[in-house]
Amino acid sequence: ANLSFFQQNRYPYVILISSSVPREGKTFSAINLAGVLAASGKKTILLGLDLRKPQLHNYLAIHNQKGVSNYLSGNADLEEIIQPSEMEHLSYITSGPNPPNPSELIMVERAETMIHKLKEQYDYIILDSPPVGLVTDALILKKWADLTLFVCRQDYTKKEFISNLNEIYRKDEKKNISLLYNFS
């Protein structure tokens, strides 16, 4: 219900999910959000964009031989890296093998091309990114997001991160940042 407030029936819609540090529930939240959107009949794809410490393939027990890193480095076509799920309307793209230069790789023109091509095929594109407290990758990816969700976990996320998040929000021209509270 809250998502529809932000989205206002605009399709395609890109959602970036990040956190301050690992283990706050970002991948878990991305998987569940993608599943709920697909269950509602919307064509949804979930991208594993944490190219440093990918977890999406582990959660889903799917292969990670080819993925985003292969496509961005020019070693695979988009159709080769899309994996269908058992759930109707849901597909995945895992991160692929860990590249030596993740930040530089997501800044290549092929990254933007990938997002644009996916927008032609899907209603929702969910980007599971690395934590912003450790690397800048999520902030680079934010330019393609219609909404950015930062996951904070009860009794885990440090209070200092909220100050950092407020600073990110103040600098954001689109103000498309929201907090997702994870209680586990």
Side-chain angles (χ1 to χ4, degrees), residues 95-167:
S95 62
N98 291 26
N101 56 345
S103 293
E104 292 82 8
L105 203 54
I106 61 172
M107 289 191 290
V108 299
E109 189 176 322
R110 280 182 71 91
E112 188 166 1
T113 301
M114 177 179 65
I115 299 297
H116 286 296
K117 285 181 177 181
L118 293 173
K119 282 181 170 185
E120 294 171 3
Q121 301 174 46
Y122 294 91
D123 298 313
Y124 286 101
I125 301 161
I126 311 297
L127 310 176
D128 179 28
S129 77
V132 297
L134 302 178
V135 293
T136 61
D137 299 5
L139 297 176
I140 295 168
L141 296 167
K142 199 167 105 25
K143 66 182 172 186
W144 298 307
D146 297 304
L147 175 64
T148 301
L149 297 176
F150 283 99
V151 178
C152 292
R153 183 173 159 196
Q154 180 179 349
D155 298 327
Y156 189 84
T157 303
K158 295 184 180 187
K159 291 178 185 176
E160 299 85 48
F161 172 66
I162 302 303
S163 297
N164 294 343
L165 182 57
N166 284 333
E167 188 60 32

Side-chain angles (χ1 to χ4, degrees), residues 4 12 34 43 46 63 80 129 131 133 158 165-166 171 175:
S4 64
K43 198 163 180 199
L46 173 57
H63 74 81
E80 291 178 72
S129 77
K158 295 184 180 187
L165 182 57
N166 284 333
K171 291 179 180 178
K175 303 292 185 210

Side-chain angles (χ1 to χ4, degrees), residues 14-17 26-27 30 46-56 67-69 71-72 81 93-96 99 102-103 105-106 111 114-115 118 125-131 135 137-138 140-142 144:
V14 180
I15 302 170
L16 173 69
I17 299 183
K26 136 185 98 48
T27 299
L46 173 57
L47 279 76
L49 286 166
D50 188 341
L51 302 181
R52 296 166 196 276
K53 290 189 175 185
Q55 293 299 317
L56 183 62
V68 172
S69 62
Y71 175 80
L72 295 181
I81 63 171
I93 299 177
T94 61
S95 62
S103 293
L105 203 54
I106 61 172
M114 177 179 65
I115 299 297
L118 293 173
I125 301 161
I126 311 297
L127 310 176
D128 179 28
S129 77
V135 293
D137 299 5
I140 295 168
L141 296 167
K142 199 167 105 25
W144 298 307

Side-chain angles (χ1 to χ4, degrees), residues 5-19:
F5 171 77
F6 293 107
Q7 181 200 2
Q8 300 176 355
N9 291 320
R10 289 180 291 143
Y11 297 102
Y13 200 72
V14 180
I15 302 170
L16 173 69
I17 299 183
S18 191
S19 63

